Amino acid sequence: MAEWLPLRDVARRAHDGRAVGVGVDHAAFLRRVAAWRHAFATQPGSRWAVYLDDTVEFAAALYGAWHAGKAVTLCGDTLPDTVARVLEDVDGLAGDFDDANGARRIAAPAADVEHTGDWDALDETATRLVVFTSGSTGDATAIDKSLTQLAREVEALQSAFSDVPDDAVVQGTVSHQHIYGLLFRVLWPLATGRAIAPRLFFHDQIALALADGECVLVSSPAHLKRIPDTIDWAPARACLRAVFSSGGALPEDAAIAARQQLGVTPTEIYGSSETGGVAWRRWRDGAPSWRALPGVQWRIVDEQLEVSSPHLPTLDWWRSEDRVEADGDDGFRLLGRADRIVKIEERRVSLSALERQLAVCDHGREARVIALPGAAVLLDAVIVLDNE
């Protein structure tokens, strides 16, 4: 069993025999952290956006930036509009970015740097991360988080799911560039000493990877709803120890089918970029209720969920836009949204923003968009045309 490392101590010194990635031990990881720290330390500015496809290299860049005193912004992708938006708030870009209008950039350091082994622990309050999420208007909103919040959430995950083997390889289909993937595929594994595997995309890849040894799978409803029965999942069932899903609710039929194919009942995580993890559930017999993660308190005010949590900037009550009801057994059930945001394949979609876009299209004057519920959410639009 690997020693538990608080997030503030992950890059202080090397730990013999500790894994970070598949084929990457802790000492090799710290040499990459040191290389990134040097690269960031030579650059001006305190705010940097980081994007790297390689999860272990991303983790090294993240800790290198933090130990260089930089605040890190998670860039969800490198599309031109995304990069343009992020550049409004950062001093430079680090990682797999193309040249972006002359912005200051750091590419991955070519050479490792020896880690001196005597670094100070990170200051949990001063170490910062920025993630972006869409608000009720559909506009991207920056969410500033401290390492304190991230550390408390990782500790809550370990407390709630301590039965996950410490030596299980962490396989995943979700990006580490978003908060769910960051927590489950980067930060929690770094704290526990679990090896981080490269991201998976296709079900045949997933089946082969899961059959390669004891592992857990960090996934989403988009993948779990589409598990094909044309693949032999028996080898995966022999190795898989846990399945996590987040980004949207997993329908009962998909949860049951996933359990039959993978041999493990998926554990769903409910939360958001703003709140971090709030609660979890597992489908068994009938619709399960959501149970709060350790340290999280909740209440219902005006039929909407309010949360007090160490994963938030303060312990003040934070009101979500989710309508809920208590189930009478210390849990709650979701009843839908109070605002006009819907989830389609784990992506927030603002109906109001869609209406504004449709109304300014050629010959559009007004528009109204509604979500049609079902196994797959569909959108329906009514558009008022101009006189022409």
Side-chain angles (χ1 to χ4, degrees):
M1 178 181 294
E3 174 189 357
W4 173 268
L5 279 184
L7 294 185
R8 64 180 180 271
D9 293 334
V10 162
R12 291 185 68 184
R13 63 179 180 84
H15 290 256
D16 293 338
R18 187 182 187 88
V20 171
V22 176
V24 181
D25 66 12
H26 197 235
F29 172 70
L30 292 194
R31 289 194 291 272
R32 294 306 297 160
V33 174
W36 277 103
R37 181 193 188 190
H38 176 74
F40 279 110
T42 60
Q43 295 291 332
S46 60
R47 304 167 304 168
W48 284 78
V50 175
Y51 183 95
L52 285 146
D53 284 327
D54 186 292
T55 306
V56 173
E57 188 71 10
F58 165 84
L62 176 67
Y63 268 86
W66 279 346
H67 276 281
K70 310 296 187 183
V72 172
T73 293
L74 283 190
C75 199
D77 55 60
T78 57
L79 296 173
D81 286 349
T82 303
V83 174
R85 170 66 186 88
V86 168
L87 281 174
E88 297 175 5
D89 298 300
V90 300
D91 299 302
L93 308 172
D96 301 331
F97 289 96
D98 295 327
D99 187 27
N101 300 323
R104 186 178 289 112
R105 290 193 304 138
I106 301 175
D112 292 348
V113 173
E114 198 61 36
H115 190 285
T116 58
D118 58 357
W119 291 8
D120 292 333
L122 292 171
D123 183 321
E124 286 191 348
T125 301
T127 302
R128 315 298 296 189
L129 178 80
V130 176
V131 298
F132 281 91
T133 186
S134 58
S136 59
T137 64
D139 297 327
T141 302
I143 309 295
D144 181 64
K145 292 179 177 288
S146 68
L147 186 60
T148 302
Q149 295 166 252
L150 300 172
R152 299 298 83 77
E153 182 160 2
V154 166
E155 291 163 5
L157 297 179
Q158 180 65 9
S159 177
F161 311 117
S162 59
D163 56 338
V164 176
D166 285 344
D167 56 354
V169 173
V170 180
Q171 303 284 356
T173 66
V174 297
S175 172
H176 54 259
Q177 298 285 156
H178 298 278
I179 190 66
Y180 166 52
L182 174 74
L183 288 162
F184 278 77
R185 293 191 57 225
V186 177
L187 298 182
W188 190 19
L190 286 175
T192 58
R194 297 188 185 108
I196 301 167
R199 184 182 179 188
L200 302 167
F201 292 93
F202 305 107
H203 285 96
D204 54 348
Q205 292 179 327
I206 298 170
L208 287 173
L210 298 185
D212 197 35
E214 193 169 52
C215 61
V216 301
L217 176 63
V218 181
S219 193
S220 67
H223 272 88
L224 296 178
K225 288 189 295 187
R226 295 173 171 83
I227 298 176
D229 56 12
T230 55
I231 294 175
D232 180 10
W233 294 96
R237 287 196 291 272
C239 300
L240 189 58
R241 299 293 176 262
V243 177
F244 294 97
S245 177
S246 190
L250 189 62
E252 180 178 11
D253 58 348
I256 293 172
R259 181 178 63 200
Q260 292 172 342
Q261 296 281 23
L262 302 177
V264 177
T265 300
T267 298
E268 295 182 77
I269 306 297
Y270 163 71
S272 67
S273 299
E274 297 92 337
T275 62
V278 172
W280 64 277
R281 73 175 185 178
R282 292 190 187 111
W283 282 96
R284 296 195 186 279
D285 298 320
S289 59
W290 292 96
R291 305 290 175 184
L293 288 168
V296 176
Q297 299 181 62
W298 62 274
R299 67 186 184 186
I300 301 174
V301 177
D302 298 330
E303 297 186 344
Q304 289 177 236
L305 181 69
E306 292 192 346
V307 175
S308 175
S309 167
H311 313 160
L312 287 161
T314 72
L315 292 178
D316 295 339
W317 288 98
W318 184 91
R319 176 174 288 201
S320 78
E321 293 297 328
D322 287 319
R323 296 168 45 248
V324 299
E325 66 178 6
D327 70 354
D329 191 25
D330 297 328
F332 61 85
R333 300 180 189 277
L334 297 173
L335 302 178
R337 298 280 294 184
D339 62 8
R340 304 199 66 229
I341 298 291
V342 297
K343 278 286 187 75
I344 299 180
E345 300 297 353
E346 291 76 70
R347 300 289 186 180
R348 291 188 187 188
V349 176
S350 167
L351 302 185
S352 299
L354 283 175
E355 288 169 354
R356 290 197 301 272
Q357 293 295 321
L358 290 170
V360 299
C361 288
D362 288 347
H363 305 299
R365 192 173 70 186
E366 295 180 53
R368 182 70 173 180
V369 179
I370 61 172
L372 304 178
V377 177
L378 300 177
L379 299 183
D380 209 12
V382 179
I383 304 172
V384 179
L385 303 178
D386 61 18
N387 290 334
E388 184 180 352

